[in-house]
Amino acid sequence: MDFFDFHHHHLGQFGIYNLDLFSDDNPEFFSIGLHPKDITKDFENALDWVKSRAHEPNCLAIGECGLDALVEVDSVLQEEVFKQQILLANTLQKPVIIHCVRRHSDLLKFQKIAKVPMIIHGFNKKENIATSLLNAGFYLSFGKSLLENLSLQSVFKECPDNRFFLETDAAKINISDIYEKASNIKAMSTSEMQHLIKQNLNLILKNE
Ligand SMILES: [Zn+2]
């Protein structure tokens, strides 16, 4: 069985490939969204592109989209564009893959309007942030940082088994290395981990 890479930018890899802006690539599974760094005055155009492909059956999720305190895009505009994509996800009943940098506490109000699962990708924050996000109903996706960040490893250990995913994002690493590390931390085999991720995927795609 291949290792499912929940969020990545490596065309051809098994998992959810995140489409580049305005791309017409057609991978096996993909997510489509407007990243906060790509928001311009012309954002309606980009949102139209998102809407034009989001309904495709191999589009598994909306995103990555969200909030980023480090990009020079007005935060009110970021929130508006994020909200529009959550509403689209609600309409299509597809989960949302969230990009968030230093605005985690602001995510909570968006959880309230979402009628679909919300997954925070590349999660690498501390226990207290993880706890408040998990309590609010978010899922967490762990990537490269899990390999070396000891505090994140303990966050991952405590994360409920039905609330996480594993990913490479844009990093040049093997997804199998992430699975191996994650399996060690959770004291299970990599095939048990693969099974668990598959179950979690079913959970968010059926939105049960
Ligand atoms: Zn990404």
Side-chain angles (χ1 to χ4, degrees):
M1 207 195 331
D2 283 335
F3 295 95
F4 193 89
D5 190 344
F6 184 75
H7 171 81
H8 71 84
H9 300 264
H10 315 285
L11 196 56
Q13 181 141 316
F14 180 56
I16 304 178
Y17 175 73
N18 196 89
L19 285 189
D20 290 336
L21 186 60
F22 296 126
S23 159
D24 56 9
D25 286 331
N26 196 17
E28 184 182 13
F29 304 118
F30 66 86
S31 55
I32 187 167
L34 181 52
H35 191 290
K37 75 173 165 43
D38 292 330
I39 298 172
T40 63
K41 282 198 170 60
D42 215 22
F43 69 91
E44 296 284 359
N45 241 334
L47 284 179
D48 283 346
W49 165 77
V50 171
K51 287 172 194 158
S52 75
R53 297 202 58 189
H55 62 87
E56 293 178 19
N58 49 346
C59 171
L60 300 192
I62 305 304
E64 56 186 299
C65 57
L67 306 171
D68 190 327
L70 299 182
V71 298
E72 286 180 17
V73 174
D74 177 74
S75 66
V76 176
L77 180 59
Q78 285 193 38
E79 293 198 2
E80 176 57 29
V81 171
F82 185 32
K83 184 180 161 193
Q84 287 198 34
Q85 293 179 93
I86 294 170
L87 297 178
L88 174 66
N90 286 348
T91 305
L92 296 171
Q93 283 295 296
K94 293 186 181 188
V96 180
I97 297 177
I98 298 172
H99 167 95
C100 185
V101 175
R102 296 192 189 170
R103 292 203 54 192
H104 289 86
S105 58
D106 295 320
L107 289 179
L108 299 173
K109 67 183 180 219
F110 290 92
Q111 173 71 3
K112 295 192 174 74
I113 58 168
K115 297 185 173 72
V116 292
M118 306 263 275
I119 305 96
I120 298 161
H121 101 80
F123 185 80
N124 60 4
K125 298 295 154 199
K126 299 228 183 300
E127 188 90 51
N128 60 332
I129 297 179
T131 303
S132 80
L133 294 170
L134 288 165
N135 286 344
F138 289 95
Y139 293 75
L140 305 177
S141 180
F142 296 83
K144 191 180 177 202
S145 303
L146 193 62
L147 297 176
E148 279 160 13
N149 180 334
L150 295 179
S151 114
L152 188 66
Q153 290 172 4
S154 74
V155 168
F156 177 72
K157 191 172 185 181
E158 298 304 319
C159 181
D161 284 355
N162 60 352
R163 299 290 287 284
F164 70 81
F165 293 95
L166 300 172
E167 63 171 62
T168 60
D169 195 11
K172 289 195 176 71
I173 47 171
N174 291 322
I175 186 65
S176 59
D177 292 343
I178 307 274
Y179 271 75
E180 198 171 313
K181 174 59 82 178
S183 308
N184 285 340
I185 296 168
K186 289 282 193 183
M188 57 175 79
S189 69
T190 49
S191 66
E192 285 169 329
M193 182 58 74
Q194 285 173 301
H195 185 70
L196 190 59
I197 295 293
K198 200 175 168 196
Q199 279 183 334
N200 291 349
L201 213 48
N202 285 336
L203 213 58
I204 62 159
L205 294 177
K206 289 181 193 147
N207 195 14
E208 278 162 349

